[in-house]
Amino acid sequence: MKIRLLAGPFALLATAAALTGCSSGDESDSASGPQKVTVWVMKDSVTDAFLDRFTKDFEKQHDRVDVDVQVQEWDGIGEKVTAALASKDAPDVIEVGNTQVAQYAASGGVADLSDRVSDLKGGDWLPGLAEPGRIDGKQYGIPWYAANRVVLYNKDLFAEAGITKPPTTRDAWLADTKKLNKGKVQGIYLPGQNWYTLAGFIWDEGGDLAKKTGGKWEGTLDSPEALAGMARYRELQALGKGPKDSDEAKPPQADVFAKGDVAQVVAVPGGAKIVEQANPALKGKIGFFPIPGKTADKPGSVFTGGSDLIVPEASAHPEAAYEVVKALAGTKWQSDMARTMSYVPNRTSLAKVLAGDEGTAAMAAGAAQGHATPNSPEWAAVEATNPIKEYMTAVLTGTDPAKAARTASQSITKTLNP
């Protein structure tokens, strides 16, 4: 067993295991000893305990391959992965952010795993993980885990307002928020530049942030559907005192919610722990529900964050690498990881493993309606300047929405077509 610590003094310890290679190419060098399959896992993605369980299980079942798991820092990982994919000595499996797959596929060196999708139960994958891993009809990224935003609410404030259960439709959500918004209580704290939440409203209306037509990407914030999503965001945002010119980090919305006079925020479930640390009196008083959709039969659309697994074309042991991916993406370890890390599993049918936890269960319900940002290798450059945030502030401070949307769409189009 190999143990590596490559990400500095605060990195997770990554353990390793053994598994059996399958292809003739892998077998050619196995006669002289076990193959070594190198796996890059990002810092804090999983715990030492999870890695230990995983590797021990592999060692019981496979004895011809050593898996060398190396923990990587997120800072600077883009350049490091791109360089590795271009080398002849690439790792065999790499964890990447789900929205980074297009960038790496465009740079070259990522194996096309389309013929493995059926074997991996791809028909059941969360769309927000599967879609960004699929470029021009080819599956490069294999979904590993997901996380998305839900509504965190103050149970005491809901009870005081006479609201006995969370809303399940957008109209009911808006009505409840208006009812909560009395006196010193903010019905919702929604910063003006929370563009991930806006994206969900746009997707619910059938719009998108950008679309590819005839080989060219175009910003689409000025479409009727996207403008309808912005109108909904504007209506909801007005029911609180969230700043119109900043996002959820300025000020940290967990600190705002912790004061006890805010009824709702949109955040990942783990945000509740931060709130409770800031105000222990709220412990046990925070509830969760999926962002409501247009109708009660399904939640609203959400941005799905998370990770995919890729196999470099330069992998020395592609079949053994695939077996690692298959195990990590399979039912046993997906279920274990979901319980350990409170992540959403990569398959919709596995959401039931989170049924005992209110926050992660709400997140899993929302994940079934998950989406990713536009699948362009240049999208990271859009986020770097983020004209969407500027657009939102402009609309919320009185600029004509159609005019502001055209300006933002033109900026997105320019960036996506360098």
Side-chain angles (χ1 to χ4, degrees):
M1 179 180 289
K2 305 293 186 288
I3 298 178
R4 290 293 185 93
L5 179 58
L6 299 186
F10 300 106
L12 295 173
L13 279 176
T15 57
L19 71 149
T20 303
C22 304
S23 73
S24 58
D26 284 354
E27 290 170 355
S28 62
D29 63 356
S30 64
S32 59
Q35 303 168 58
K36 184 173 76 170
V37 174
T38 302
V39 181
W40 283 4
V41 173
M42 298 309 301
K43 180 182 179 182
D44 296 335
S45 285
V46 291
T47 63
D48 292 346
F50 173 84
L51 286 171
D52 188 53
R53 290 193 297 274
F54 175 76
T55 54
K56 285 181 178 178
D57 184 76
F58 259 81
E59 287 183 345
K60 289 180 180 178
Q61 301 182 49
H62 308 81
D63 60 2
R64 299 303 301 166
V65 178
D66 287 339
V67 178
D68 183 13
V69 182
Q70 302 180 0
V71 176
Q72 306 293 321
E73 294 278 359
W74 283 106
D75 187 31
I77 193 61
E79 294 81 0
K80 188 170 184 178
V81 170
T82 299
L85 293 173
S87 74
K88 295 181 179 180
D89 188 29
D92 299 283
V93 178
I94 305 176
E95 175 195 353
V96 300
N98 63 323
T99 60
Q100 296 174 330
V101 178
Q103 172 188 343
Y104 297 138
S107 70
V110 182
D112 176 10
L113 299 175
S114 300
D115 61 345
R116 308 286 195 169
V117 172
S118 178
D119 186 41
L120 294 170
K121 313 295 184 186
D124 192 28
W125 283 339
L126 293 174
L129 288 182
E131 290 169 4
R134 188 182 306 117
I135 317 297
D136 295 328
K138 297 180 179 180
Q139 194 75 42
Y140 294 99
I142 304 304
W144 193 20
Y145 63 83
N148 51 267
R149 289 162 176 77
V150 299
V151 181
L152 277 60
Y153 72 97
N154 185 313
K155 293 181 178 179
D156 285 350
L157 295 182
F158 265 55
E160 289 171 9
I163 302 172
T164 58
K165 60 182 179 180
T168 58
T169 67
R170 291 195 326 190
D171 288 342
W173 188 24
L174 192 65
D176 283 350
T177 303
K178 290 178 179 177
K179 191 174 182 180
L180 288 158
N181 194 32
K182 292 183 178 180
K184 296 182 179 180
V185 175
Q186 294 185 59
I188 189 168
Y189 177 83
L190 185 61
Q193 295 184 348
N194 190 332
W195 69 278
Y196 286 123
T197 299
L198 169 64
F201 293 170
I202 290 174
W203 290 324
D204 274 347
E205 297 294 338
D208 210 332
L209 306 176
K211 289 188 176 181
K212 190 176 184 181
T213 305
K216 180 181 178 180
W217 282 95
E218 294 184 357
T220 54
L221 290 175
D222 54 343
S223 71
E225 296 83 2
L227 288 170
M230 183 66 225
R232 170 63 64 163
Y233 187 92
R234 185 180 186 181
E235 187 175 15
L236 186 63
Q237 199 272 339
L239 296 178
K241 301 176 182 177
K244 294 176 171 55
D245 59 352
S246 64
D247 59 23
E248 56 267 53
K250 300 176 183 178
Q253 68 174 9
D255 291 346
V256 177
F257 192 48
K259 294 178 181 179
D261 58 358
V262 170
Q264 304 170 93
V265 292
V266 178
V268 294
K273 295 180 181 179
I274 300 174
V275 172
E276 291 171 356
Q277 288 174 1
N279 184 358
L282 289 177
K283 187 174 180 62
K285 297 182 178 181
I286 300 174
F288 312 84
F289 59 89
I291 293 174
K294 297 178 75 172
T295 57
D297 58 320
K298 64 180 181 181
S301 298
V302 291
F303 167 73
T304 303
S307 285
D308 282 15
L309 299 170
I310 63 173
V311 175
E313 289 183 334
S315 167
H317 315 292
E319 287 299 325
Y322 171 69
E323 291 300 322
V324 172
V325 171
K326 183 177 180 179
L328 288 171
T331 300
K332 179 176 182 177
W333 294 105
Q334 281 291 301
S335 299
D336 188 308
M337 183 165 58
R339 296 188 185 100
T340 300
M341 305 301 301
S342 295
Y343 291 149
V344 178
N346 63 4
R347 305 209 304 265
T348 57
S349 62
L350 296 178
K352 59 183 179 292
V353 304
L354 299 172
D357 184 287
E358 183 184 0
T360 49
M363 185 166 63
Q369 307 301 321
H371 295 257
T373 49
N375 210 2
S376 164
E378 304 299 329
W379 185 256
V382 173
E383 291 193 24
T385 56
N386 212 325
I388 304 172
K389 288 186 173 183
E390 296 176 7
Y391 157 62
M392 297 174 75
T393 294
V395 172
L396 295 176
T397 53
T399 301
D400 175 61
K403 179 180 179 180
R406 282 194 297 273
T407 299
S409 293
Q410 290 168 0
S411 176
I412 292 173
T413 298
K414 183 178 180 180
T415 302
L416 293 181
N417 298 280

